[in-house]
Amino acid sequence: MAVQEMSRGTHTTACACEECAREGHRRAVAAFLEKRDEFAAGQGVPAAVAHSLGASRQWVSDELALSARTVADRSREAGNSWLYVFSRRAVLAVWIAAGVLLLVQVAAALGTGWSTARTAGLLAALLLAGLLTLAARAQSVRGGLLAPLVGEDNRLSTSQAVPTAWVVLTAFATLLLALRLAASAPGPERQALYTGLALGRALPLLSVVVLTSAVAVLVRRVVSVRIMSQRLQKLPADRPRGADLLTDDAGRGSFPDAQYVLVSTVVLAYAAASLTRFPDRLPQLPWALTLLVALSAAVYLAAKYAEGSRPLVLSVVRRREPGDLDAAVRPGDDIEIRGVGFVPPGAQTPEMLARLVVRIGAVHVHVPLIPVPGGFTNPSDAVLTVPVPAEVEPGRTEIQVVTAAGVESNRCTIDVAE
């Protein structure tokens, strides 16, 4: 896909394809890492600010923040391009799966002969593939078939992926039985198909569908309420990834998510095998497996209630360099804010780190990025180092941290001397 631009009579072409977007992101990352390591080695600082530690540190931080913003922009462009390409490939994968089913049906029919059940199964797969294709085209910008699985934070949602899988299996099984009923003549076969749709047989399956769907609704409500009340910090991702189903927002493995996906996958495979073995009825789950899914969902839901916390300032002290004398905090000094929760999950990128702000009285101070080879010494999740601006009036002053997610910490009072 190409974008044609006309500017002041000159004709330029900017390619917005996936490969070019990824290449732009790679170049931006390489440029940022080179600049960070250069500054960490003490190089590249202009002579006009090199004489002042505070001025040079602020200049370096501002330069890194601008470069990090460029990296974030290129990353979002690459993510949007990936979603567009994925929406097309996902539809192709659905139709390939339908073709594989046809080949399997034909291979199985060589020994036992073609049957009405095989015809109904193939037609059900084609109908479901058609419906999924229409849905994907309506949401092609957000990833097509991936759109219902993506949460508000642009990550794959475990709570939405699990019930979606159950709904797709149930829809296929229902279409299969409906087509077989339409093709069957009055008699024992039709009666057997009606019996396969009986509530008593389908109740465990329907219970799992209702339960997992209810968990998805509850999790969405819980997360929204906790964000609004500033008890949970959420930051958007550049693009959804498959690992999101098994990890938290920081990319670390999450036991509640992993066990929910694992249990649901195993029970779903059992239901699919049951449908293959008995295509004349809805998949019949033992109540023990239904209870297993319910327990797994309860663990997952409890974890969602328990996760998240607000940033907490425990203490504020004057930062003392080697050789300095102990003294009171004065304008121009560096202070060290100690606490927890300053860098929420998903905010470890340089762009997000540059968004950290410390409110000192009425003055808003952006936390400077202090580079070292391979990373940053400031800011961190437990310690922030910021200068006290000259605009801060002497006397008792309140300190408050505002994270990249916009959540405010508690207030801590310090005395600023003249």
Side-chain angles (χ1 to χ4, degrees):
M1 181 175 60
V3 179
Q4 306 293 331
E5 297 177 352
M6 295 295 295
S7 176
R8 297 183 181 181
T10 61
H11 182 78
T12 60
T13 302
C15 182
C17 65
E18 181 191 18
E19 185 58 36
C20 293
R22 290 172 60 186
E23 180 62 26
H25 178 239
R26 283 194 294 266
R27 290 180 179 178
V29 170
F32 173 82
L33 294 178
E34 181 181 1
K35 182 175 293 187
R36 184 198 63 190
D37 293 341
E38 181 184 8
F39 290 151
Q43 303 172 359
V45 180
V49 297
H51 67 280
S52 170
L53 176 62
S56 61
R57 184 177 62 186
Q58 189 60 52
W59 185 88
V60 167
S61 179
D62 290 343
E63 287 294 310
L64 289 175
L66 289 174
S67 182
R69 201 168 301 160
T70 301
V71 172
D73 291 341
R74 299 291 86 78
S75 179
R76 281 188 285 269
E77 290 174 3
N80 292 335
S81 177
W82 178 86
L83 282 176
Y84 176 77
V85 173
F86 179 86
S87 66
R88 301 175 65 181
R89 292 177 179 174
V91 171
L92 179 61
V94 169
W95 287 102
I96 289 176
V100 170
L101 177 62
L102 173 61
L103 294 178
V104 172
Q105 297 270 34
V106 171
L110 293 177
T112 60
W114 194 263
S115 64
T116 306
R118 290 193 172 93
T119 303
L122 183 59
L123 290 177
L126 293 176
L127 284 174
L128 190 58
L131 292 175
L132 291 176
T133 300
L134 292 176
R137 290 178 64 87
Q139 292 289 329
S140 59
V141 177
R142 293 201 60 191
L145 296 178
L146 202 65
L149 312 182
V150 178
E152 297 294 332
D153 58 354
N154 204 33
R155 294 180 177 87
L156 282 182
S157 171
T158 304
S159 62
Q160 294 172 211
V162 170
T164 299
W166 281 106
V167 167
V168 170
L169 176 65
T170 306
F172 175 77
T174 305
L175 275 174
L176 174 61
L177 290 179
L179 291 172
R180 291 196 63 186
L181 276 171
S184 64
E189 181 182 358
R190 175 172 290 186
Q191 187 60 38
L193 291 173
Y194 278 122
T195 304
L197 289 169
L199 181 61
R201 291 180 178 271
L203 192 56
L205 175 64
L206 296 179
S207 298
V208 171
V209 173
V210 172
L211 174 66
T212 54
S213 300
V215 167
V217 175
L218 282 175
V219 166
R220 184 182 179 91
R221 176 61 179 170
V222 167
V223 171
S224 298
V225 169
R226 292 178 70 83
I227 290 175
M228 294 298 293
S229 61
Q230 295 196 353
R231 290 181 292 171
L232 178 64
Q233 302 187 64
K234 273 281 187 182
L235 289 165
D238 294 329
R239 69 173 179 87
R241 293 174 172 83
D244 295 339
L245 298 177
L246 306 174
T247 61
D248 59 13
D249 291 353
R252 299 183 297 262
S254 170
F255 171 74
D257 292 69
Q259 62 86 28
Y260 189 37
V261 171
L262 177 61
V263 170
S264 300
T265 301
V266 171
V267 179
L268 190 71
Y270 179 93
S274 176
L275 179 62
T276 304
R277 182 68 178 85
F278 303 104
D280 58 344
R281 66 189 188 194
L282 291 176
Q284 190 171 7
L285 294 177
W287 280 107
L289 292 182
T290 303
L291 180 59
L292 179 61
V293 174
L295 291 175
S296 177
V299 172
Y300 175 76
L301 185 59
K304 288 299 178 182
Y305 271 100
E307 75 174 357
S309 62
R310 296 184 62 177
L312 177 65
V313 176
L314 299 177
S315 61
V316 180
V317 298
R318 177 179 177 270
R319 183 179 175 84
R320 176 181 173 274
E321 296 294 338
D324 285 353
L325 298 176
D326 293 328
V329 176
R330 291 182 171 83
D333 290 341
D334 286 344
I335 57 174
E336 192 175 88
I337 304 170
R338 301 171 181 173
V340 292
F342 299 147
V343 182
Q348 292 81 9
T349 61
E351 186 210 13
M352 293 298 177
L353 292 177
R355 293 186 182 185
L356 262 172
V357 174
V358 174
R359 192 179 292 135
I360 306 177
V363 183
H364 292 221
V365 182
H366 284 78
V367 180
L369 298 175
I370 302 179
V372 293
F376 299 94
T377 58
N378 188 66
S380 68
D381 188 61
V383 179
L384 304 178
T385 300
V386 294
V388 178
E391 292 81 3
V392 175
E393 298 290 336
R396 296 188 68 82
T397 304
E398 289 187 336
I399 304 291
Q400 191 176 29
V401 175
V402 183
T403 69
V407 178
E408 299 177 345
S409 72
N410 60 312
R411 299 175 186 269
C412 185
T413 303
I414 64 171
D415 292 314
V416 178
E418 295 183 3

